Amino acid sequence: MLFEQYRDFIPDFDSFQQSLRKPLPVHLRINTLKAAPEQLVSRLNEKGALLEKSLPHDETLYRASGLEFPGNTVEYFMGHIHPQALTSCLVSLALHPTDGSLVLDLCAAPGGKTSHLAQLMGNAGLIVANELYGNRHIPLGNTLTRLGVLNAVVTAYQAQEFPLKQQFEFVVADVPCSGEGRFRKIREDFTYRETTEKILLPELQKKILLRAYELLQPGGKMIYATCTYNPAENEAVVAHLLHERNVTLFPLNIDLASEPGLTHWKNETYGEELERALRFYPHRVDSVGFFVAGIGKPC
Amino acid sequence: MLFYLEDRFGIDRALFESFIFFRKKNSWWVSTDTPLLAHISRFKISRMGLKAFQKVGQFLKPTTRMIQVFGTHATKSKITISEDDLLDLQKGQCLETVLGVGQGYVILCLDGNRILGLGLYVNGRIRSQISMKALRSAMIGA
């Protein structure tokens, strides 16, 4: 059975298993840098799509039924919509940078979160969107351009070695991960495999998170996020930072079904503070499995 | 550039006071102007803002994406087309129309103020200046 090793902490494990056999639904973010949500929702509904709000108090996030390929619409071309997993949008919402702030997105491609940050900032302030790999700069640049982002610059440093020349008010560390939360067993021949690279990820994630913390200015806020269930890539990484630095985890107010982070698993103890992190499971949110922790740096 | 945008499209140049333009080879880019830019001057930047103008021959042509952002403020040389017209443009056809403006670029909108990009108006015909590849893939699901 898939992800059997997580049976002891994923609630309602049978429903979780069933959810992995369903295709991921289409979720859209309306780009308010270019479009007004109310009019756009009416237009897409007229075209036969059924848009339902994903979060009760957010006018920009929708689940879109009857719109199988949102990338093949004129609304996509005009940059009015961006297909983005609902849970992925939670990162920017949880951080919610202020208009004129200086923000660092350490692992920015393909640009969904960077553009969402720009949207929340109303294209004011400045975002440094960092992405090491040159081939990933193409989709990153395309996303930022299509969505009309004007307050971002792109850099190409290794995240764990990002230069310590400047501290930031807000940092996003949406790190490379095993991507378990994205896995769906839509066909019988689909199966999830561990690879050597994935086993090495926690060490890389710890390095990136430590560097992200060094780049955060006193009083600043940071989000650590992955799209995996694996505690070794989630709680263990945050616990490592808690052990190494003077860190506080701030509570995340997200109006979506979630579970608290794990305080321990198997023989590992992560600490009570990890309860402030949030885990999102596909059978509860009908989106990608996700982990989010809000980290603050004391003044 | 700003004179052209104001003269041709009626986009008030004051709109650009909070933006900076800079040149990169044969193109001009636009970015939000903020004192925070001084904070990142020691980083190696590979890209900033979005491409606003591209040099075509002796002329600076506004880009589709720049027009999509700022074209909502245009007061002239702006025409509304239907999605059927858009399909014709996507096929490479021209739209025949008489406009009360001189020859040159016009902003193409879908019903209301939804900016698609630019068309080139010459001799009573509008030819799309939008990337055909991008437009074709967009129109698959139109």
Side-chain angles (χ1 to χ4, degrees):
Chain A
M1 200 172 272
L2 283 161
F3 306 123
E4 179 68 29
Q5 67 273 34
Y6 305 141
R7 180 185 280 273
D8 57 345
F9 66 79
I10 294 182
D12 195 1
F13 195 74
D14 290 339
S15 296
F16 166 72
Q17 285 290 321
Q18 285 167 20
S19 73
L20 300 183
R21 294 184 177 275
K22 296 177 191 165
L24 271 170
V26 173
H27 280 101
L28 297 179
R29 171 164 59 83
I30 294 179
N31 177 27
T32 52
L33 294 176
K34 281 185 155 183
E38 198 176 321
Q39 292 159 6
L40 188 55
V41 169
S42 320
R43 263 195 307 276
L44 288 174
N45 284 341
E46 282 166 19
K47 287 185 172 184
L50 175 63
L51 267 64
E52 299 167 277
K53 265 188 185 179
S54 299
L55 298 175
H57 304 296
D58 192 296
E59 302 296 325
T60 63
L61 304 179
Y62 291 85
R63 181 193 158 120
S65 312
L67 192 63
E68 199 175 351
F69 302 108
N72 294 137
T73 60
V74 74
E75 285 75 18
Y76 177 89
F77 170 72
M78 290 189 288
H80 292 184
I81 58 170
H82 185 64
Q84 188 172 1
L86 170 62
T87 40
S88 161
C89 297
L90 301 179
V91 171
S92 310
L93 291 179
L95 195 64
H96 213 295
T98 44
D99 285 4
S101 47
L102 182 58
V103 181
L104 171 64
D105 187 352
L106 261 177
C107 309
K113 293 176 192 74
T114 309
S115 56
H116 194 190
L117 290 166
Q119 174 176 329
L120 294 172
M121 295 161 73
N123 252 341
L126 188 62
I127 304 169
V128 176
N130 182 65
E131 175 55 51
L132 171 63
Y133 297 105
N135 61 336
R136 302 196 82 203
H137 281 216
I138 297 166
L140 173 61
N142 288 345
T143 303
L144 300 181
T145 300
R146 183 176 57 81
L147 297 177
V149 173
L150 296 166
N151 64 337
V153 301
V154 176
T155 58
Y157 297 105
Q158 281 203 25
Q160 68 272 29
E161 290 176 12
F162 193 92
L164 297 169
K165 294 173 178 174
Q166 173 66 43
Q167 288 189 314
F168 296 81
E169 296 165 81
F170 298 93
V171 177
V172 174
D174 179 26
V175 298
C177 72
S178 53
E180 292 172 345
R182 295 195 165 274
F183 181 78
R184 289 290 185 278
K185 194 174 176 64
I186 299 162
R187 289 195 342 231
E188 280 308 312
D189 57 340
F190 280 21
T191 190
Y192 183 80
R193 288 192 188 88
E194 283 290 339
T195 61
T196 313
E197 291 80 16
K198 288 180 182 175
I199 291 163
L200 296 174
L201 282 168
E203 284 314 303
L204 174 65
Q205 291 157 344
K206 285 173 187 171
K207 287 178 186 168
I208 293 175
L209 188 57
L210 270 170
R211 179 51 62 116
Y213 189 71
E214 299 305 324
L215 289 161
L216 192 63
Q217 72 178 39
K221 285 166 69 181
M222 172 167 82
I223 294 290
Y224 175 78
T226 72
C227 56
T228 191
Y229 312 112
N230 185 2
E233 298 180 56
N234 295 328
E235 287 86 349
V237 175
V238 179
H240 177 73
L241 179 68
L242 287 168
H243 183 258
E244 295 289 319
R245 298 287 188 274
N246 177 24
V247 174
T248 54
L249 295 193
F250 60 84
L252 299 161
N253 298 312
I254 297 171
D255 205 358
L256 191 65
S258 62
E259 302 293 324
L262 305 177
T263 57
H264 61 278
W265 188 54
K266 293 187 174 170
N267 297 324
E268 297 234 17
T269 301
Y270 306 126
E272 296 299 316
E273 210 170 346
L274 261 300
E275 280 195 336
R276 287 189 161 177
L278 296 178
R279 289 180 153 263
F280 298 90
Y281 294 112
H283 58 306
R284 296 287 173 91
V285 297
D286 202 9
S287 182
V288 170
F290 220 73
F291 173 87
V292 185
I295 297 164
K297 192 171 199 172
C299 292
Chain B
M1 293 179 302
L2 300 189
F3 173 78
Y4 172 77
L5 292 177
E6 192 166 65
D7 183 57
R8 179 73 190 176
F9 302 113
I11 301 174
D12 187 347
R13 69 179 73 185
L15 180 70
F16 297 99
E17 282 173 1
S18 54
F19 299 96
I20 53 166
F21 287 84
F22 56 95
R23 187 175 183 173
K24 194 175 168 184
K25 294 183 181 169
N26 287 327
S27 56
W28 286 83
W29 292 61
V30 61
S31 168
T32 300
D33 192 11
T34 162
L36 293 171
L37 287 171
H39 294 252
I40 58 152
S41 59
R42 289 181 293 165
F43 293 128
K44 193 174 174 186
I45 305 293
S46 60
R47 180 192 178 102
M48 178 170 157
L50 68 80
K51 193 192 283 185
F53 291 89
Q54 177 73 44
K55 197 170 181 192
V56 180
Q58 295 301 307
F59 189 75
L60 280 176
K61 176 191 170 295
T63 63
T64 298
R65 298 306 183 187
M66 192 275 279
I67 284 297
Q68 285 181 347
V69 173
F70 295 105
T72 50
H73 300 275
T75 56
K76 56 185 179 179
S77 303
K78 186 174 180 180
I79 69 153
T80 297
I81 63 170
S82 66
E83 291 210 3
D84 286 341
D85 292 334
L86 184 56
L87 281 169
D88 290 340
L89 290 174
Q90 177 250 316
K91 289 173 194 159
Q93 296 172 6
C94 292
L95 299 181
E96 306 230 351
T97 185
V98 178
L99 302 176
V101 296
Q103 299 192 5
Y105 292 118
V106 292
I107 295 174
L108 304 177
C109 311
L110 280 179
D111 50 326
N113 211 10
R114 302 159 63 203
I115 311 291
L116 283 162
L118 287 177
L120 183 61
Y121 178 60
V122 180
N123 297 330
R125 303 172 87 195
I126 297 172
R127 182 178 293 279
S128 171
Q129 298 295 296
I130 304 166
S131 154
M132 283 300 168
K133 189 181 165 196
L135 204 51
R136 277 194 193 105
S137 64
M139 292 306 289
I140 291 169

